[in-house]
Amino acid sequence: MGRFLLHRLLRALLAAWAIISVIFLLSRAGAQERPPASRLAEGSLSATTASPVQRRQAGQLQQRRLGLTGPLFYVSAAPAPAAGLGWRWHWNGRANQYHQWLRRLVHANLGVSFRDGQPVTLLLGQSLRYTLPLTVGAAVCSIGLVWLVAPHLGRPSWRRRFLLGLFFVVDAVPLFVVALLLLLLLANPDALAWFPAYGLGPEDAAAPWPVRLQALAYHLALPLLTLTLASLPALAVPLDAALRHELRADYVLTARAKGLPDSLVIRHHALRNALLPALTLLTELLPGLVAGSVVVELVYSLPGMGRLLAEAAAAHDYPVLLGGVLLIALVRLLGQLLADWLYTLADPRIRLPV
Amino acid sequence: MSRPFRSRPRRWWLALGWLLALLFAALLAPVLPLPYAPDTTDLTAIAEAPLTGSHWLGTDPLGRDLLAGLLFGARTALLVSLPAAALATLLGGLIGGIAGFWGNTGLRLPLSYAAAAAGTGLFLLGFHGSPTIVWAGASAVAAGLAGGVALLGRRGYRRTVAVPFDALALALMALLASIPLLVLVLALAALYPPSWPGLLAVLVLTYWPGPARLVRAEILRIRALPYIESGWALGLPAVRILWRHALPNCWHTLSATFPLSVATLIGLETTLSFLGVGLPPETASWGRLLAAARLAPTAWWLVLGPAAAIIGTTVALRQLAVREPAH
C-alpha cells in the first residue's frame, strides 16, 4: 500500500516537474525575445523622453535585475556558421537560468513578479486566503449535494430526468457563462438583488469575528454557488451510471424484498458499491475547482489565486503564472493521494498492486 | 450504426438546424448586408438597448454593434474550434493507434538500422562544418555502425530492438494531464503574442490526449479480434493491417466524440478570449463580447446575446453526440 502510493506519487511528481520545466523554459525563451522591460515601459513617460541609449541601458538593467540574462539551460545549441550544417553545442555549467530557478524553488523562493516586483510566494499566500475557503467550500458543498440527490439517481423518475437534464446543460456551457448569467439573475437591482455583485465589501478589522465571518460568507455565497453548480455534473453523472448498474444486482432485490424504502436501499446498500468508480473523480475535483476559480474570481472580482493567475496570463507576468501553475499541480497530486486513500477506505478488500 | 433519419428525436433535428444556421452565419458574415461593421465604434449610440435605435441588438459601452459582433464571433469560434478539433483528433488517433497496436514490444527495428540511424543523428547533431564533410562523415559513421553491429555475433544482423511507443505515449499523456486543461492552455497561450495559428497550435498540442486515449483503448480491443489474427496469418504487412483494417473500426468512436471536442474547444476559446489571452484584441469573439459586458453591469442584452449563442451551440453539439439507448 505505502509502496504503491509512493510509486504513484513519484511518477506524478516527475510528470508535474517536467511540464513545469517546459513551461519555464518556453516562458524564459519568450522573455528573452520580447523583454518584459520594453513591454512594460510602453506608454510610460520615460518611453517618450529617454534617448534610445538610455532606454537600452534601462532595459538591460531591468533584465539583469529580473534574472533574465545568461544562458537558459545546461546546454545551448547555436546553428553552425554560414553555409554549414549541424549545431555548435556549448556546455554552460551551473550558471544558467534553469539551474538558478530550480535552486530557488527548492528554497521555496518563486522569484518576484515582473509587474510590481513583489515576491510571488507573498502574492500567492495573500490570494490563497480567499481561494482556499472558496474551493474547499465548493468541494464540500458539491459532495454534500451529490449525497443529497443520490437517492433520486439511478432509477427512472421525473426528478432524475430533471437533474440529468440540468447537469447536461451546465456541463456543456463554459463556466464563465454560468457565472455571468447567475450574476445577471441574482445580483442585479433590476432582477433579484439577493447577493453582492462583486468584491468582499469593506474590510472592517475592528468588528468581532462572527460579524466578519458573516460578511465573508455573504460575499462568497454567489461564487460558491457557481463553483458548486459547475462541479456537480462531473460527480453526479458517473455516479448515476454506476448506480444504475448496481441497482440491477441481486442484493438490491433482496433489500427491496425485505421492505426497505428506495432511498435507504440506495444510501445503505448500492451507494457504497457505486462509489468505487466515482472515487477516482475526486482526483480531478480539487484541481478542477481551482481551475474554475480562475474564471469565477475574475467575474466576481475576488482577490484570489484564480484572478491572480488570469491577470498574470493577460499581462505576461511569467513568475506569478509559473507559481500558480506549480501550486495547482501540487493540488492535483494531493487530490490523487486523497482518492487512493479513500479507495481503500471504501472497499477494504482492495489491496492496491505494487 | 446509421439509423433511418425519421427515427431521430426532434431535439436532434433542432440541434442540427441550429448548427447549420450557425455555419451559414459564420460563412456569410463578411457578405451579409450588416448595417455596422464588427469592430467599429459608434459614439452616438453607447450601451444602447436592443430595438431602441438603429442597432437591432443594441451596442456595448464602446458603441460596437452587438449583432455584427455575434456573427463575426461565430466565425471566430468555428475557425478556431473546427480545425483544432480535426487536427487534435487526427494527431490523437495516430498516436493512440500506434501505441495501442504495437504496444511496447510489437514494433521491432533491426539493431543495425537502429544503430545506423542513431549514429547518423548524433553525428549530425554534434558535428558542424561544410555540408560535404558532414554528409560524408555521417554516411561513414552510419555504415561503420551498421556493419559493426551485423558482424557482432553470428546472427547479429537479425537482432532487433523494440521501440516502446506505448510507454512514450502514456508518459506524454501523463505529462499533459498533470495540470487541468484550462490552466495549461492559459499558461501556454500567455507565452506567445496573441495570434490565430498560435492559439490553434496550443489547443491541438494540449487536446490530443483525449482522442488518443479513446483510440488506444479501442485498438487494444480490436487487436485481439479474429479478423486481425487472420490478417497476420495471411502475412499482411503490419502497417496495412493497422491502416486498412484496425483504424477504420475506430471511426465510429471518433466521429461520435468529435462534436464533444468541438464543444469543449469552443468553450476554451471563448474562455480565453474572455480572459484576454490567445486571440488578438481586435478579433470579434463571443468571449470578448461577454468581457465587454462586465463594463456595463446593467446592460442585460450584452450578457444574454453571447450567452445564448454559446449555450445554444455547445448544447446542440452535445445533443448531436448523445447516443439514444437501443430500444
Side-chain angles (χ1 to χ4, degrees), chain A residues 229-254:
Chain A
L229 198 62
S231 59
L232 266 184
L235 293 177
V237 175
L239 186 68
D240 174 67
L243 271 179
R244 218 170 46 195
H245 178 75
E246 285 300 325
L247 286 181
R248 281 200 295 260
D250 287 341
Y251 70 90
V252 170
L253 197 65
T254 313

Side-chain angles (χ1 to χ4, degrees), chain B residues 200-222:
Chain B
L200 203 62
V202 166
L203 287 179
V204 171
L205 289 181
T206 49
Y207 195 74
W208 65 265
R213 255 191 213 108
L214 281 178
V215 171
R216 180 174 169 272
E218 198 66 8
I219 289 277
L220 281 179
R221 186 183 65 82
I222 290 173

Side-chain angles (χ1 to χ4, degrees), chain A residues 31-81:
Chain A
Q32 271 187 344
E33 270 173 40
R34 304 173 294 277
S38 68
R39 266 201 310 249
L40 296 183
E42 274 166 26
S44 71
L45 186 64
S46 60
T48 50
T49 54
S51 72
V53 179
Q54 279 173 325
R55 247 180 288 165
R56 203 169 54 238
Q57 279 173 347
Q60 281 168 354
L61 212 65
Q62 171 92 352
Q63 292 261 45
R64 202 167 310 139
R65 209 180 64 225
L66 295 174
L68 297 179
T69 47
L72 272 185
F73 200 55
Y74 296 100
V75 287
S76 54

Side-chain angles (χ1 to χ4, degrees), chain B residues 4 9 11 21 49 86 108 172 190 250 269:
Chain B
R11 279 176 301 179
R108 304 189 71 88
L172 265 182
C250 300
E269 183 268 317

Side-chain angles (χ1 to χ4, degrees), chain A residues 128-149:
Chain A
L128 271 183
R129 271 175 45 206
Y130 302 102
T131 303
L132 219 53
L134 186 64
T135 44
V136 172
V140 170
C141 283
S142 49
I143 291 174
L145 265 180
V146 167
W147 176 258
L148 272 184
V149 301

Side-chain angles (χ1 to χ4, degrees), chain B residues 165-212:
Chain B
F165 264 129
D166 201 28
L168 278 177
L170 285 180
L172 265 182
M173 288 187 216
L175 200 75
L176 290 174
S178 57
I179 300 175
L181 186 61
L182 174 63
V183 178
L184 184 64
V185 170
L186 182 69
L188 287 178
L191 297 183
Y192 298 100
S195 71
W196 178 74
L199 181 62
L200 203 62
V202 166
L203 287 179
V204 171
L205 289 181
T206 49
Y207 195 74
W208 65 265

